[in-house]
Amino acid sequence: MSADTVISCKNAWKIFGPDPEGYLKTLPAGHSFDDIRADGYIAGVKDVSIDVSRGEMLVIMGLSGSGKSTLVRCFSRLHDITGGTITVEGQDIMSLSEKELIELRRNKMGMVFQSFGLLPHRSVLDNVAFPLEMRGQDKHARRERALEVIKLVGLEGREDYFPRELSGGQQQRVGIARSLAIEPDIWFLDEPFSALDPLIRREMQDEFLRLQAMLGKTIVFITHDFDEALRLADRIAIMKDGAVEQCDTPDQIVLNPATEYVRKFTEDIDKARVVHAGVLATSSDNGTGDPVDAKASVQDLARLLVQDTRAIIPVASDGKIVGGMDRAAALEILLEAS
Ligand SMILES: Nc1ncnc2c1ncn2[C@@H]1O[C@H](COP(=O)(O)OP(=O)(O)OP(=O)(O)O)[C@@H](O)[C@H]1O
Ligand SMILES: [Mg+2]
C-alpha cells in the first residue's frame, strides 16, 4: 500500500447465508463459488485484494450477479465484510464506531446507487440539498448549490417535482446531482448512467470526465458497458463469481488478458481503439524521425501505420522520446479489428 492509496482492500470476503463468519472459518482452501453455493452460501465478494489510488478512476465490470455492487458496498461499509480488511485513508473501516462511520460517509464519500435511493416525499430540490442539510449548511447556500447541480444534470425547471413524477433516467440524474452536491473526495457510482438515453449518457460521461479533470476525485464506478468503461477508466477490474479476475489498465486487459474468462469478455472489443502507442513503445530501439504521441491510439495512427515505411517508430510523451513502437505489431492490432 503506497501513501497515495485511498482504499485498500485485502483478501476481503462477503458471504451471505445463515452463519457467514463461522462458515468462512471452516472454508476449505480452493472451494469455488459453486462449492460454496452447494453449502448454502453465496460468495458475494470472494477473496478480493485491490487498491485504489488517489485521483484514480477504477471501473468495475462483470456480469449481473458477479458481485460488483456488493464489493462497492463493502468499501463504504454498507455491508460488513465477513473476512479480510478494508482501509479507507489508512483507517480500518471495520473498527470505526457508528458515529465515525457516519462522519466518514458524510464528509468524504459520495454514493450513487443503482436503485437511485431518492426520498419519495421530497422534491427534486430537497433531495439534492439533503446531504448539504445533513452537513448543517444554511438554507440559502444549500439551495444555491442544489440549483447549480440540478442545472448541470439537465433538470432545470423540475426542482419542485417529486421522484414519482419523473422518469427512471430523470430520477437517476437526481441521484447523480445529489451526490455531486457535496463534492466528495471518494465517489462510488453504481451504474449511474444506465437508465439514460445514449445521447444524454454520452453528455453525462463528458461532463463526468470534465469534472474529474477539474476535481481529481478518487472514483469507483460500476458499469455493464465496455465502451463506457474504456472512455472513463484508468483501470478496469473484471469480476466473476465474487472474485476479481483481473484489474489492470484497459490496454493491458485487451492485450494481455489474465484468464480465459477475461479474454472472452473482451474479445469483441476493438483493440485498435483501446491500445495506445505509449504501451507499444517497448522496443529497445527508439527508431528515428518524427515521433508519434504516446496517447494516440492505434486507431488514431491507422493512416500513418499503413503509409509509413519505418520498422520502428519513435513514441514521445510530453515531447520526450519514451521508446520505439514496432510498426508491424501495431499493424497487427489494427488488422485484428477489421
Ligand atoms: N443482501 C443479500 N443477501 C443475500 N445475497 C445477496 C445480497 N446481496 C447480494 N447478494 C448476492 O450476491 C451476489 C452478487 O450480487 P451483486 O448485487 O453484488 O451483483 P452485481 O454484480 O452488482 O449485479 P448487477 O449487475 O445485476 O447489479 C448475487 O448472487 C446476489 O444474489
Ligand atoms: Mg449491481
Side-chain angles (χ1 to χ4, degrees), residues 63-65 67-70 114 190-191 222 224:
L63 299 180
S64 182
K68 306 179 296 295
S69 297
T70 307
Q114 205 168 0
D190 194 346
E191 311 217 22
I222 299 176
H224 265 96

Side-chain angles (χ1 to χ4, degrees), residues 4-56:
D4 243 8
T5 301
V6 176
I7 301 170
S8 179
C9 175
K10 291 271 170 289
N11 305 108
W13 287 80
K14 176 63 190 177
I15 294 182
F16 297 108
D19 174 24
E21 278 84 13
Y23 178 69
L24 185 60
K25 281 198 193 92
T26 60
L27 184 69
H31 235 45
S32 72
F33 182 86
D34 288 338
D35 297 333
I36 293 171
R37 193 166 45 191
D39 292 338
Y41 289 86
I42 295 281
V45 171
K46 188 169 177 286
D47 200 15
V48 168
S49 296
I50 207 167
D51 282 356
V52 190
S53 307
R54 196 171 308 285
E56 177 178 34

Side-chain angles (χ1 to χ4, degrees), residues 10-193:
K10 291 271 170 289
N11 305 108
W13 287 80
K14 176 63 190 177
I15 294 182
F16 297 108
D19 174 24
E21 278 84 13
Y23 178 69
L24 185 60
K25 281 198 193 92
T26 60
L27 184 69
H31 235 45
S32 72
F33 182 86
D34 288 338
D35 297 333
I36 293 171
R37 193 166 45 191
D39 292 338
Y41 289 86
I42 295 281
V45 171
K46 188 169 177 286
D47 200 15
V48 168
S49 296
I50 207 167
D51 282 356
V52 190
S53 307
R54 196 171 308 285
E56 177 178 34
M57 176 127 41
L58 176 73
V59 171
I60 302 185
M61 292 205 67
L63 299 180
S64 182
S66 57
K68 306 179 296 295
S69 297
T70 307
L71 178 62
V72 170
R73 292 175 80 85
C74 290
F75 288 166
S76 55
R77 213 184 138 186
L78 287 171
H79 279 318
D80 283 355
I81 44 177
T82 316
T85 50
I86 294 179
T87 61
V88 174
E89 304 277 16
Q91 275 185 306
D92 178 349
I93 56 169
M94 290 301 288
S95 69
L96 297 181
S97 67
E98 189 63 26
K99 190 160 166 273
E100 289 168 325
L101 195 59
I102 290 171
E103 285 298 302
L104 176 74
R105 290 199 195 118
R106 190 175 289 170
N107 295 322
K108 287 217 171 255
M109 294 176 169
M111 298 176 214
V112 178
F113 297 105
Q114 205 168 0
S115 54
F116 316 140
L118 302 181
L119 302 164
H121 303 299
R122 284 176 164 243
S123 66
V124 167
L125 183 79
D126 290 342
N127 260 288
V128 174
F130 183 66
L132 303 173
E133 195 179 323
M134 296 305 291
R135 266 191 183 180
Q137 255 188 26
D138 76 70
K139 201 166 174 180
H140 182 71
R142 257 169 21 215
R143 194 183 149 80
E144 288 298 299
R145 175 68 186 153
L147 288 173
E148 200 177 299
V149 284
I150 287 170
K151 190 169 168 198
L152 196 69
V153 299
L155 286 177
E156 216 176 359
R158 297 197 196 257
E159 293 82 4
D160 298 326
Y161 283 47
F162 287 92
R164 64 169 181 279
E165 298 170 308
L166 301 175
S167 74
Q170 289 167 338
Q171 290 183 40
Q172 199 165 36
R173 282 186 272 163
V174 178
I176 294 165
R178 184 179 55 186
S179 82
L180 271 178
I182 61 161
E183 298 195 20
D185 293 337
I186 310 172
W187 210 0
F188 300 114
L189 299 113
D190 194 346
E191 311 217 22
F193 305 149

Side-chain angles (χ1 to χ4, degrees), residues 276-288 310-316 321-330:
H276 296 88
V279 175
L280 295 176
T282 48
S283 168
S284 51
D285 177 0
N286 284 350
T288 54
R310 288 174 291 176
I312 304 289
I313 300 173
V315 177
I321 302 292
V322 291
M325 171 174 70
D326 183 335
R327 187 169 63 92

